[in-house]
Protein backbone atom coordinates (compact mmCIF):
# COMPACT_ATOMS: atom_id res chain seq x y z
CA UNK A 1 0.00 0.00 0.00
CA UNK A 2 1.31 3.42 -0.98
CA UNK A 3 1.53 6.05 1.75
CA UNK A 4 -0.81 8.36 -0.19
CA UNK A 5 -3.62 7.15 -2.43
CA UNK A 6 -5.35 9.37 -4.96
CA UNK A 7 -7.74 8.43 -7.74
CA UNK A 8 -6.06 9.54 -10.99
CA UNK A 9 -9.34 10.17 -12.81
CA UNK A 10 -9.71 11.62 -15.35
CA UNK A 11 -12.57 13.72 -14.04
CA UNK A 12 -14.65 15.77 -16.47
CA UNK A 13 -17.23 18.31 -15.26
CA UNK A 14 -19.25 21.12 -16.85
CA UNK A 15 -18.34 24.72 -16.15
CA UNK A 16 -19.89 25.95 -12.90
CA UNK A 17 -19.96 22.52 -11.24
CA UNK A 18 -18.65 21.81 -7.77
CA UNK A 19 -15.61 19.55 -7.92
CA UNK A 20 -14.58 17.23 -5.11
CA UNK A 21 -11.09 15.75 -5.06
CA UNK A 22 -9.72 13.57 -2.31
CA UNK A 23 -6.82 11.53 -0.99
CA UNK A 24 -6.34 8.93 1.69
CA UNK A 25 -3.13 8.25 3.55
CA UNK A 26 -1.73 5.67 5.90
CA UNK A 27 0.97 7.50 7.90
CA UNK A 28 -0.54 8.88 11.11
CA UNK A 29 2.53 11.12 11.58
CA UNK A 30 1.48 13.36 8.71
CA UNK A 31 0.54 16.80 10.03
CA UNK A 32 0.88 19.12 7.04
CA UNK A 33 -1.42 18.72 4.07
CA UNK A 34 -1.21 20.49 0.76
CA UNK A 35 -2.86 20.63 -2.61
CA UNK A 36 -0.78 21.45 -5.65
CA UNK A 37 -2.06 22.29 -9.12
CA UNK A 38 -0.03 21.23 -12.12
CA UNK A 39 -0.75 22.44 -15.64
CA UNK A 40 0.47 20.38 -18.56
CA UNK A 41 4.26 20.50 -18.96
CA UNK A 42 4.63 22.81 -15.95
CA UNK A 43 5.85 22.30 -12.41
CA UNK A 44 3.37 21.93 -9.54
CA UNK A 45 2.29 25.10 -7.77
CA UNK A 46 0.93 25.31 -4.24
CA UNK A 47 -2.82 25.89 -4.07
CA UNK A 48 -3.81 25.18 -0.47
CA UNK A 49 -1.95 24.44 2.76
CA UNK A 50 -3.52 23.05 5.93
CA UNK A 51 -2.02 22.08 9.24
CA UNK A 52 -3.64 19.18 11.13
CA UNK A 53 -7.41 18.69 10.98
CA UNK A 54 -9.99 21.24 9.92
CA UNK A 55 -11.14 23.32 7.01
CA UNK A 56 -9.50 26.13 5.12
CA UNK A 57 -11.17 28.31 2.51
CA UNK A 58 -9.55 30.51 -0.12
CA UNK A 59 -11.87 31.99 -2.69
CA UNK A 60 -13.49 29.17 -4.66
CA UNK A 61 -11.28 26.55 -3.02
CA UNK A 62 -11.88 24.71 0.27
CA UNK A 63 -9.50 22.18 1.77
CA UNK A 64 -10.64 19.73 4.43
CA UNK A 65 -8.57 17.40 6.57
CA UNK A 66 -10.00 14.57 8.66
CA UNK A 67 -7.07 13.02 10.50
CA UNK A 68 -9.26 10.48 12.29
CA UNK A 69 -10.17 8.99 8.90
CA UNK A 70 -6.83 9.83 7.25
CA UNK A 71 -8.78 11.55 4.49
CA UNK A 72 -8.29 14.93 2.86
CA UNK A 73 -10.42 16.74 0.32
CA UNK A 74 -10.31 19.72 -1.99
CA UNK A 75 -13.52 21.34 -3.17
CA UNK A 76 -13.68 23.74 -6.10
CA UNK A 77 -16.84 25.83 -6.40
CA UNK A 78 -18.05 27.41 -9.63
CA UNK A 79 -15.40 25.54 -11.60
CA UNK A 80 -13.90 27.28 -14.62
CA UNK A 81 -12.19 25.94 -17.75
CA UNK A 82 -8.99 27.52 -16.40
CA UNK A 83 -9.20 25.07 -13.47
CA UNK A 84 -8.45 22.23 -15.90
CA UNK A 85 -5.21 20.72 -14.59
CA UNK A 86 -3.86 17.87 -12.53
CA UNK A 87 -4.41 18.27 -8.79
CA UNK A 88 -1.86 16.65 -6.50
CA UNK A 89 -2.30 16.11 -2.80
CA UNK A 90 0.90 16.17 -0.75
CA UNK A 91 1.69 15.74 2.90
CA UNK A 92 4.47 15.32 5.44
CA UNK A 93 5.21 15.23 9.12
CA UNK A 94 7.04 18.55 9.09
CA UNK A 95 10.60 17.23 9.14
CA UNK A 96 10.40 14.86 6.20
CA UNK A 97 10.12 15.47 2.47
CA UNK A 98 6.68 15.87 0.95
CA UNK A 99 4.95 12.70 -0.20
CA UNK A 100 2.67 13.21 -3.20
CA UNK A 101 -0.39 11.41 -4.44
CA UNK A 102 -0.63 10.26 -8.02
CA UNK A 103 -2.67 13.33 -9.03
CA UNK A 104 -6.21 13.66 -10.37
CA UNK A 105 -6.59 15.00 -13.88
CA UNK A 106 -9.51 17.45 -14.06
CA UNK A 107 -11.17 18.85 -17.17
CA UNK A 108 -13.78 21.61 -16.87
CA UNK A 109 -15.83 21.82 -20.04
CA UNK A 110 -17.23 25.21 -21.14
CA UNK B 1 14.10 35.31 -13.29
CA UNK B 2 12.71 34.98 -9.80
CA UNK B 3 11.63 31.34 -10.02
CA UNK B 4 13.41 28.00 -9.98
CA UNK B 5 15.24 27.46 -13.25
CA UNK B 6 16.00 24.02 -14.67
CA UNK B 7 18.14 23.14 -17.66
CA UNK B 8 17.89 21.50 -20.07
CA UNK B 9 14.12 21.52 -20.44
CA UNK B 10 14.37 18.46 -22.67
CA UNK B 11 17.10 15.87 -22.97
CA UNK B 12 17.13 12.87 -25.27
CA UNK B 13 19.92 10.39 -24.76
CA UNK B 14 20.83 6.83 -25.55
CA UNK B 15 20.85 3.96 -23.13
CA UNK B 16 24.14 3.77 -21.28
CA UNK B 17 25.01 7.46 -21.59
CA UNK B 18 25.74 9.91 -18.78
CA UNK B 19 23.38 12.82 -18.11
CA UNK B 20 23.55 15.96 -15.99
CA UNK B 21 20.50 18.02 -15.06
CA UNK B 22 20.90 21.46 -13.53
CA UNK B 23 18.76 23.36 -11.05
CA UNK B 24 19.11 27.02 -10.10
CA UNK B 25 16.93 27.66 -7.03
CA UNK B 26 15.28 30.85 -5.86
CA UNK B 27 17.86 33.18 -4.37
CA UNK B 28 18.05 32.81 -0.61
CA UNK B 29 16.36 29.42 -0.46
CA UNK B 30 18.53 27.11 1.58
CA UNK B 31 16.57 23.93 0.92
CA UNK B 32 16.63 22.24 -2.48
CA UNK B 33 14.81 19.10 -3.56
CA UNK B 34 14.88 16.77 -6.53
CA UNK B 35 11.78 14.81 -7.43
CA UNK B 36 11.09 12.48 -10.35
CA UNK B 37 7.70 12.37 -12.05
CA UNK B 38 6.86 9.52 -14.39
CA UNK B 39 3.93 9.72 -16.78
CA UNK B 40 0.63 9.59 -14.92
CA UNK B 41 2.30 9.60 -11.52
CA UNK B 42 2.89 12.13 -8.80
CA UNK B 43 6.37 13.46 -8.02
CA UNK B 44 8.56 10.96 -6.16
CA UNK B 45 11.21 12.25 -3.77
CA UNK B 46 14.83 11.65 -4.71
CA UNK B 47 17.09 13.84 -2.56
CA UNK B 48 17.00 16.93 -0.38
CA UNK B 49 19.78 19.43 0.36
CA UNK B 50 19.98 21.84 3.24
CA UNK B 51 22.79 24.16 2.25
CA UNK B 52 25.62 22.22 0.65
CA UNK B 53 24.99 18.86 2.25
CA UNK B 54 22.55 16.15 1.26
CA UNK B 55 20.26 15.96 4.29
CA UNK B 56 18.24 13.05 2.92
CA UNK B 57 19.11 10.97 -0.13
CA UNK B 58 16.85 8.05 0.72
CA UNK B 59 14.85 8.45 -2.49
CA UNK B 60 17.72 7.89 -4.91
CA UNK B 61 16.83 4.62 -6.65
CA UNK B 62 20.37 3.24 -6.95
CA UNK B 63 24.02 4.25 -7.13
CA UNK B 64 23.72 5.41 -10.74
CA UNK B 65 22.07 8.55 -9.38
CA UNK B 66 24.05 11.24 -7.63
CA UNK B 67 23.45 14.91 -6.87
CA UNK B 68 25.67 17.74 -5.69
CA UNK B 69 25.21 21.30 -4.49
CA UNK B 70 28.81 22.44 -3.92
CA UNK B 71 28.17 26.09 -3.06
CA UNK B 72 24.74 25.81 -1.51
CA UNK B 73 22.94 27.27 -4.51
CA UNK B 74 22.94 25.53 -7.92
CA UNK B 75 22.50 21.77 -7.86
CA UNK B 76 23.29 19.13 -10.45
CA UNK B 77 21.62 15.74 -10.66
CA UNK B 78 23.88 13.21 -12.34
CA UNK B 79 22.72 9.94 -13.83
CA UNK B 80 25.26 7.37 -14.99
CA UNK B 81 24.67 4.51 -17.44
CA UNK B 82 21.14 5.67 -18.17
CA UNK B 83 18.41 3.10 -18.64
CA UNK B 84 15.08 3.39 -20.46
CA UNK B 85 13.33 3.26 -17.09
CA UNK B 86 15.02 6.53 -16.13
CA UNK B 87 12.82 8.36 -18.64
CA UNK B 88 10.75 10.86 -16.66
CA UNK B 89 10.43 14.53 -15.79
CA UNK B 90 12.98 15.50 -13.16
CA UNK B 91 11.61 18.31 -11.00
CA UNK B 92 13.63 20.58 -8.80
CA UNK B 93 12.10 22.63 -5.98
CA UNK B 94 13.44 25.05 -3.43
CA UNK B 95 12.14 26.41 -0.15
CA UNK B 96 13.22 28.49 2.81
CA UNK B 97 13.37 25.30 4.89
CA UNK B 98 11.97 21.80 5.20
CA UNK B 99 8.62 23.09 6.45
CA UNK B 100 8.41 25.92 3.94
CA UNK B 101 6.42 26.10 0.74
CA UNK B 102 8.08 24.28 -2.14
CA UNK B 103 8.52 26.26 -5.34
CA UNK B 104 8.99 23.99 -8.33
CA UNK B 105 10.75 24.53 -11.60
CA UNK B 106 9.21 23.41 -14.87
CA UNK B 107 11.27 20.26 -14.91
CA UNK B 108 13.78 18.56 -17.18
CA UNK B 109 12.15 15.96 -19.40
CA UNK B 110 14.57 13.07 -19.88
CA UNK B 111 14.03 10.49 -22.59
CA UNK B 112 16.33 7.50 -22.77
CA UNK B 113 16.15 5.66 -26.08
Amino acid sequence: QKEVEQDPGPLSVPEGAIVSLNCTYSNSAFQYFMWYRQYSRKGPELLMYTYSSGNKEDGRFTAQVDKSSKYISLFIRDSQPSDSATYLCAMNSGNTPLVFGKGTRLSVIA
Amino acid sequence: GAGVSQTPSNKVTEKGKYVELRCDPISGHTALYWYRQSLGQGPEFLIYFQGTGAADDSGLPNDRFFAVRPEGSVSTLKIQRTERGDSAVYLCASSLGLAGELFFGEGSRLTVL
Side-chain angles (χ1 to χ4, degrees), chain A residues 2 8 32 34 36 38 41-46 49 86 88 92 94-103, chain B residues 10 33 35 37 40-45 48 56 58 89 91 98-107 109:
Chain A
K2 294 197 100 175
Y32 299 88
M34 291 138 227
Y36 280 80
Q38 186 174 26
R41 296 188 171 262
K42 300 290 187 182
E45 55 179 350
L46 183 65
Y49 175 98
T86 296
L88 299 152
N92 69 0
N95 60 356
T96 56
L98 275 181
V99 179
F100 284 84
K102 191 177 286 195
Chain B
N10 281 285
Y33 308 77
Y35 280 80
Q37 188 173 25
Q41 303 294 317
E44 291 183 294
F45 170 73
Y48 152 64
D56 184 347
S58 62
V89 176
L91 293 165
L98 188 54
E101 177 183 349
L102 264 63
F103 292 85
F104 283 87
E106 295 199 346
R109 183 175 299 271

Side-chain angles (χ1 to χ4, degrees), chain B residues 30 48-55 67-74:
Chain B
T30 58
Y48 152 64
F49 289 88
Q50 180 62 43
T52 59
V68 295
R69 194 186 185 197
E71 297 177 358
S73 179
V74 171

